[in-house]
Amino acid sequence: MGSTMATTPHLQSNMSSYEEACERFSWEAAATALTGLPGGGLNICHETLDRHADGPDADTVALRWLGQDGTRREFTYAQLRTTAARFAGLLDELGVQPGERVFSLAGRVPELYAAALGALRHGAVFCPLFSAFGPEPVRQRLARGDGRVLVTTRALYDRKVAGIRDALPGLHHVLLVDDDLPGRLAAAAERPVAATGPQDPALLHFTSGTTGTPKGALHAHRAVIAHHVTARLALDLHPGDVYWCTADPGWVTGTSYGIVAPLTCGATMLVDEAEFNAARWYETLERERVTVLYTAPTAIRMLMRAGEEPRCHRDLGALRFVASVGEPLAADGVRWGEQALGTPIHDTWWQTETGAIMLANYPCEPVRAGSMGRPLPGIEAGIVRRDADGRAVRRPDGRPDLVDEPDVEGELALRTPWPSLFLGYLDDPERSAKCFAGDWYLSGDVARRDADGWYWFVGRGDDVIKTAGHLVGPFEIESALTDHPAVAEAAAIGVPDEVAGQIVLAKVILAPGHADSDALRREVRGHARRLLGAAIAPRRIDVVAELPHTRSGKVMRRLVRARELGLPEGDTSTLERAS
Ligand code: WT7
């Protein structure tokens, strides 16, 4: 950065003392920052768009969209409201009922944002899918979520939906953003905000578990209270900020913090349609004068790898605050930010189920490099003792056995309730109930708390894989592999990768009559990629003669992983022994 570096306008951070903020905080008071609807109603579209479009911010840019090809389009709060209102009107025309699911499967195109906000305005439930998913994850999610409407593009429809459409009898309408949608929107009537209540369902995000099909975490309109509070306190968003959340709306971060949170703050949100490219990112930060950046450790590592060259002639002086989420951020990443971006990277922690940031390093105090930070005001966190099988220990009254002393590893838990806590997994009360012990939510992550109250990530308590910040369920991958006739059994594990954190590795046992060869492995891998999509398909496939099983017949992925990485095998008492 040269001498032309602009000075950051002095801005009072939204939190000046963490302790004070915690003491003063109440969710009731926090909710008054939003306006709500008459009679105690609450609707995310009203809080994100109408609140600004009806006031002095009507002409502030809500969405600044950068096309892959260099196109630049801007939508003010008033304009985005009009399009969202038309989309909501179109849903009425189509006969969509409140609570019915509207899915999207699209890259980061402007119509996706209008559809999300329009669906919320209508009272439908919005469910974004990642455009890099293959037909199988798309089918699973549309079927489980009983999608009534799908908003997608012609190309994605042809490649991923056409072949599965017959298996989705509940999918009544497909709207194509590059075909019939613009005309239908232009003709649609603007619909006022639906009279939703805080508890009414609004957003559905699929997430992966160790076993079984993906789980649909359902969130209510009340989540917007937490989106707003955390955007202010953990991301330090102010009206007028140019804010860039690099996550795709196909994942929860890209919706909570890539659509809802910034708009509740009256910020301008930047959306880049293109995929990661270091030179493009630095150029964008400079040209658009981005003030707040929310990204993922994988992206930070890619920037670090790209070196100084794409950065050295860029003026990043507008950038005031940078945060990351989704996977561990090592201390060297935090410090790199300081030197390369002019601000350390503030790690935050949360999950699809928590709906909003729960732990954070705050702008008003030094970052503890390598730590996920401390609980948001209004959030109580704890560490729960684990038994020999790694399960959270419950006391006789059902409450978790919380650890008092510092530096003990255990399951990270959060005391309920808070506004963005999920309503439960769709149609799966059993799996939902497993997440709770008394009035505590159990995260499934293993962590420790230091003597000063900062939380440190240790690992996941289950076999779920995090690759490039995306949560991938091993079962979904194994099912796609065993779908190939040559594969008898499969185990999917995450193995360390310098950039993506982890990559997916699959160990497969071949069916009788098939012999290992490069060609066969390539074919199986191609098959998995076609079904699953490039984002989650295994990067590498190894053919093995056997896999370790429990006596009840389940593959012990933990052991497969330990053996692959040369780690201690841990407790193998349930291992089935060859006789
Ligand atoms: C899992 C949740 C975070 C919202 C988007 C992803 C891992 C998240 C951190 C962090 C280490 C992290 C956890 C968590 N994770 N943040 N700061 N350090 N790990 O939501 O897809 O539901 O994933 O991401 O394992 O449980 P998600």
Side-chain angles (χ1 to χ4, degrees), residues 297-332:
T298 291
I300 299 293
R301 289 188 291 266
M302 293 197 288
L303 289 176
M304 289 167 77
R305 281 208 148 189
E308 240 175 89
E309 199 281 321
R311 183 180 73 240
C312 57
H313 53 288
R314 296 293 173 194
D315 172 3
L316 306 181
L319 195 57
R320 185 180 84 243
F321 190 74
V322 181
S324 81
V325 69
E327 20 156 4
L329 176 69
D332 66 329

Side-chain angles (χ1 to χ4, degrees), residues 207 251-253 324-329 347-353 372 443 445 457 460 466 469-471:
T207 182
W251 304 89
V252 69
T253 310
S324 81
V325 69
E327 20 156 4
L329 176 69
D347 194 16
T348 66
W349 176 94
W350 59 289
Q351 304 179 304
T352 302
E353 290 83 347
M372 305 186 286
S443 74
D445 277 5
F457 185 74
R460 289 205 47 110
K466 262 276 156 146
H470 300 149
L471 202 62

Side-chain angles (χ1 to χ4, degrees), residues 470-484:
H470 300 149
L471 202 62
V472 175
F475 180 78
E476 209 170 1
I477 296 173
E478 290 156 5
S479 304
L481 290 165
T482 52
D483 182 70
H484 190 281

Side-chain angles (χ1 to χ4, degrees), residues 501-572:
Q502 293 190 71
I503 55 163
V504 181
L505 164 66
K507 303 261 181 194
V508 304
I509 299 179
L510 295 182
H514 295 272
D516 184 15
S517 69
D518 279 351
L520 181 70
R521 263 176 279 132
R522 254 202 314 278
E523 190 192 310
V524 171
R525 198 167 153 246
H527 177 80
R529 274 179 80 100
R530 267 192 307 282
L531 285 182
L532 297 169
I536 62 174
R539 223 45 109 74
R540 199 178 107 200
I541 292 181
D542 289 352
V543 170
V544 293
E546 51 191 285
L547 288 166
H549 290 94
T550 61
R551 269 179 244 122
S552 58
K554 278 194 269 180
V555 176
M556 288 179 85
R557 300 189 192 98
R558 181 178 56 77
L559 197 54
V560 176
R561 186 166 187 275
R563 288 177 180 170
E564 171 68 22
L565 302 177
L567 300 171
E569 295 199 353
D571 182 9
T572 56

Side-chain angles (χ1 to χ4, degrees), residues 65-73 272-274 280 287-288:
W65 180 80
L66 308 178
Q68 182 123 32
D69 59 2
T71 328
R72 196 162 178 279
R73 289 173 68 189
D272 186 6
E273 186 190 26
R280 182 178 170 109
R287 189 189 54 238
E288 306 299 338

